[in-house]
Amino acid sequence: MEQTQKVQFAHKTFWAIAITLFMIAYNVSVMPTIMSPLVRDLNSSVGAIQSILVVYFLVAASFAPSTENLCRFYGRTRIFSISLVLYGIGMTLTSLSPTIEILALCFSLLTGLASTPLISTPLAIADLIYGDDEERVTIALILASTLGGLFGSLLGGYLASNLGWRWAFVPSLLVLMFVFRLRRSLPNLIVNCTQPIDWIGGLLSFLGLSSIFVGMSLAGEFGWWEPKRAFSIAGLIIPPFAISIVPTLFAVGMILLGFFVFWQRRQANLGKACLFRVGLLRNREFVLGLLTAMLHTLIVTGVQFNLFQFVPLALSLNPFRTALTIIPYNLTMVIVIISVLKYLVLGNRITPKYIVCIGISLLAAGIGVLYSSLHLSVTSLELMPGLIIMGVGSGLFSSYISTLTYSNASKGDKPQASGIYDPIQNLGCSLGRGILGTALVYYTARSIVDDILENLGKTLSPVERLEVIVKLQEMLQTFSREEVREVFANKLPPSIYPLLRLISLDAATSGIKISLLIALFLTGICFLLAVTLPKYPSCRRS
């Protein structure tokens, strides 16, 4: 009887943590899907929505060390419950937002902060209570997150197309209420910590990481060194000299992290509370697995984000049909992970490291097939083979990379490992949208400028041409589509404006193909990192 109750408790706990990851993945996947109606309704721009997503992941990544700090003192279960409430408030306000500024505040800040413990807690619980079934439970949690992304794209796109973008968040709110009811099944993970919370360390790490991560996200818009345009707050230009805001933010972030390292060493020497120990960061295999997983996240997030920008323009589809076009990747990934979860045969017959390398190779092959399928009159069916191959590769990769990475952490370091692994993956999401998204916009803008000049029979000096490209890139990132059309209608000669649709399509096709080449290059680096991973998890090595 007692054994039966334990099994039922374990089942309820699993559903609580799995549905939590499903909910978070759903909301993140909804945003690119509903981008077009969101831009129209709030009179915003694609660049603004991209920035909201980037900042969301940066906030989640920056808050991770402080989250572990709070969990050690107050208990992970209590922080999880508080985060559920905060997350629900954030999503409710997001769905009701009257302006893009309020949406950015609610989604990026409130849900970004709340999502950090909601992601780390399920993995910590799985490691604590499932023992020998940990590998299978971990893969099941990856599956739950993948399914959340699948439903976010599909269901969110359907609701946005038929009822409006605000309705796309309703399913996640319903799921949240279900999770809130199941939270009682979570183990009471309260740690009796006699030391006070390291508030100073938490503040230094949060501000330092935020400064660096925000700098990365602003590089495409403001320039890595030479300023593309001035950064100002309340009319005050920052910095007050001729460099971009990006190196300034990097410098501030590095200084703050330097103070953070000094503070951590001081606390450790005095035997006082520390935010985290750096031992895991000296573990070569853990760091390699961490970087390999981050690069994979960067690639697939960036490619999918760009497809959600390209497909509506190229195929003239609404959000739901756009999601249906891109869904073969997510669906294939789900099928592969389910197969691995059900049988686990690959891990018994093929070295896990080789499975990861095969996954990366298939991801590269899928990107190559996707690249070759792109042309001005591309169809959904022509995109499908590349997306399916990418899905198979990502499914194989995702099933084993976390096992190889986490196996090098001791039992006591697992929560801390999660506190490092999760924000680095969030950083990968931000960099994917920042690097590949910026590449798509820049090369699209460049192609539009060159095509218009060619049709006009005019030439510009290299400096003038670059200035025009940068201004158009800024327009595409900060203007709404109606504002962009109005500018083109007023600035272009009547003979050119009717050709604008074809010029834009050709430019977007060129832009996304270049972004795919960048993704392919990054996939090569990811493969080289994967080759250095151990063949088996540390517990299975002979």
Side-chain angles (χ1 to χ4, degrees):
M1 184 68 178
E2 183 179 349
Q3 183 65 27
T4 302
Q5 290 178 340
K6 288 183 178 180
V7 171
Q8 290 176 346
F9 179 81
H11 285 167
K12 288 183 178 179
T13 300
F14 170 77
W15 284 112
I17 60 179
I19 294 174
T20 299
L21 295 178
F22 175 95
M23 173 187 65
I24 294 173
Y26 175 95
N27 284 321
V28 171
S29 299
V30 156
M31 290 297 284
T33 307
I34 66 173
M35 190 170 298
S36 294
L38 192 59
V39 166
R40 289 193 301 269
D41 190 35
L42 299 184
N43 193 29
S44 184
S45 65
V46 170
I49 308 303
Q50 178 180 350
S51 298
I52 288 171
L53 281 166
V54 168
V55 173
Y56 167 86
F57 287 114
L58 295 181
V59 168
S62 302
F63 190 59
S66 299
T67 295
E68 293 305 310
N69 196 14
L70 293 171
C71 288
R72 284 201 301 268
F73 191 83
Y74 291 111
R76 193 172 294 275
T77 309
R78 183 182 299 174
I79 297 299
F80 180 87
S81 298
I82 295 172
S83 299
L84 274 179
V85 175
L86 182 62
Y87 195 86
I89 294 172
M91 292 313 305
T92 301
L93 294 177
T94 296
S95 65
L96 299 174
S97 298
T99 65
I100 193 67
E101 292 79 13
I102 294 177
L103 186 140
L105 180 66
C106 297
F107 186 84
S108 297
L109 186 58
L110 289 181
T111 63
L113 289 172
S115 66
T116 307
L118 297 182
I119 293 173
S120 62
T121 297
L123 298 175
I125 290 175
D127 177 64
L128 177 69
I129 68 174
Y130 289 104
D132 295 337
D133 289 331
E134 181 189 351
E135 180 179 354
R136 191 180 293 272
V137 170
T138 299
I139 295 175
L141 293 178
I142 294 171
L143 173 61
S145 183
T146 305
L147 283 171
L150 176 66
F151 276 86
S153 299
L154 200 57
L155 181 58
Y158 176 81
L159 293 173
S161 298
N162 293 276
L163 299 176
W165 65 267
R166 299 180 191 277
W167 288 92
F169 294 106
V170 172
S172 66
L173 292 173
L174 296 176
V175 171
L176 184 140
M177 289 188 286
F178 188 58
V179 174
F180 201 79
R181 183 177 180 182
L182 287 176
R183 82 189 190 285
R184 297 175 182 175
S185 64
L186 299 179
N188 194 21
L189 301 180
I190 296 178
V191 180
N192 294 321
C193 181
T194 57
Q195 292 179 327
I197 295 177
D198 184 11
W199 293 110
I200 295 178
L203 182 63
L204 288 172
S205 67
F206 181 76
L207 293 177
L209 291 172
S210 296
S211 182
I212 293 173
F213 291 168
V214 169
M216 290 180 180
S217 70
L218 295 177
E221 185 177 350
F222 291 91
W224 284 101
W225 184 260
E226 294 185 1
K228 293 182 179 179
R229 65 189 186 95
F231 180 88
S232 62
I233 299 177
L236 177 65
I237 297 178
I238 305 174
F241 29 86
I243 64 171
S244 168
I245 184 64
V246 173
T248 304
L249 288 172
F250 267 65
V252 170
M254 293 303 296
I255 291 171
L256 289 172
L257 289 181
F259 280 121
F260 169 70
V261 172
F262 170 79
W263 177 260
Q264 292 300 287
R265 287 179 177 175
R266 175 185 178 277
Q267 292 293 93
N269 291 336
L270 294 176
K272 296 183 178 180
C274 296
L275 199 62
F276 68 88
R277 302 182 301 276
V278 297
L280 274 174
L281 298 180
R282 296 172 184 160
N283 186 319
R284 175 180 174 273
E285 294 171 349
F286 176 78
V287 172
L288 287 173
L290 193 71
L291 295 177
T292 305
M294 186 200 74
L295 267 179
H296 172 266
T297 302
L298 185 159
I299 294 161
V300 298
T301 301
V303 170
Q304 280 193 294
F305 183 82
N306 283 354
L307 285 173
F308 273 108
Q309 315 320 308
F310 172 77
V311 169
L313 174 65
L315 282 68
S316 300
L317 301 179
N318 62 27
F320 178 61
R321 295 184 65 190
T322 297
L324 284 178
T325 299
I326 302 172
I327 217 67
Y329 167 81
N330 306 81
L331 189 59
T332 306
M333 187 176 175
V334 167
I335 293 171
V336 171
I337 295 176
I338 288 175
S339 301
V340 172
L341 175 63
K342 186 174 181 180
Y343 300 107
L344 287 176
V345 292
L346 292 178
N348 295 325
R349 298 180 182 178
I350 306 176
T351 304
K353 169 186 170 178
Y354 295 157
I355 297 173
V356 169
C357 291
I358 291 170
I360 298 173
S361 301
L362 288 172
L363 177 64
I367 293 173
V369 172
L370 193 62
Y371 176 92
S372 64
S373 67
L374 292 171
H375 54 84
L376 292 181
S377 55
V378 66
T379 65
S380 298
L381 288 177
E382 289 176 307
L383 296 176
M384 188 179 294
L387 292 170
I388 289 175
I389 297 171
M390 286 178 60
V392 174
S394 288
L396 292 175
F397 178 91
S398 301
S399 297
Y400 286 95
I401 185 62
S402 59
T403 301
L404 285 175
T405 303
Y406 278 105
S407 69
N408 294 287
S410 65
K411 195 77 173 177
D413 283 337
K414 283 292 180 69
Q416 183 180 337
S418 175
I420 299 173
Y421 186 91
D422 295 330
I424 293 299
Q425 303 319 302
N426 287 335
L427 175 60
C429 290
S430 294
L431 291 177
R433 291 185 169 94
I435 294 173
L436 297 184
T438 299
L440 172 63
V441 174
Y442 172 78
Y443 287 108
T444 298
R446 189 184 73 171
S447 184
I448 289 175
V449 170
D450 290 343
D451 287 349
I452 291 176
L453 289 174
E454 182 180 350
N455 279 276
L456 290 174
K458 294 183 179 180
T459 58
L460 296 174
S461 68
V463 174
E464 291 174 330
R465 173 177 171 270
L466 182 59
E467 288 179 353
V468 174
I469 292 172
V470 170
K471 287 181 180 178
L472 179 56
Q473 180 185 1
E474 181 182 339
M475 280 176 50
L476 295 176
Q477 289 181 312
T478 58
F479 284 20
S480 66
R481 291 179 180 176
E482 288 73 18
E483 290 173 329
V484 172
R485 291 192 190 100
E486 184 179 347
V487 170
F488 278 133
N490 293 331
K491 298 291 185 181
L492 293 179
S495 60
I496 297 296
Y497 189 75
L499 302 175
L500 191 57
R501 160 74 182 173
L502 183 61
I503 290 174
S504 299
L505 180 57
D506 180 63
T509 303
S510 174
I512 196 168
K513 291 182 80 170
I514 294 175
S515 73
L516 288 176
L517 289 178
I518 297 173
L520 201 57
F521 172 75
L522 295 174
T523 307
I525 298 176
C526 186
F527 182 85
L528 293 177
L529 286 174
V531 168
T532 64
L533 294 174
K535 290 185 176 181
Y536 295 96
S538 58
C539 59
R540 289 186 54 185
R541 272 182 274 165
S542 57

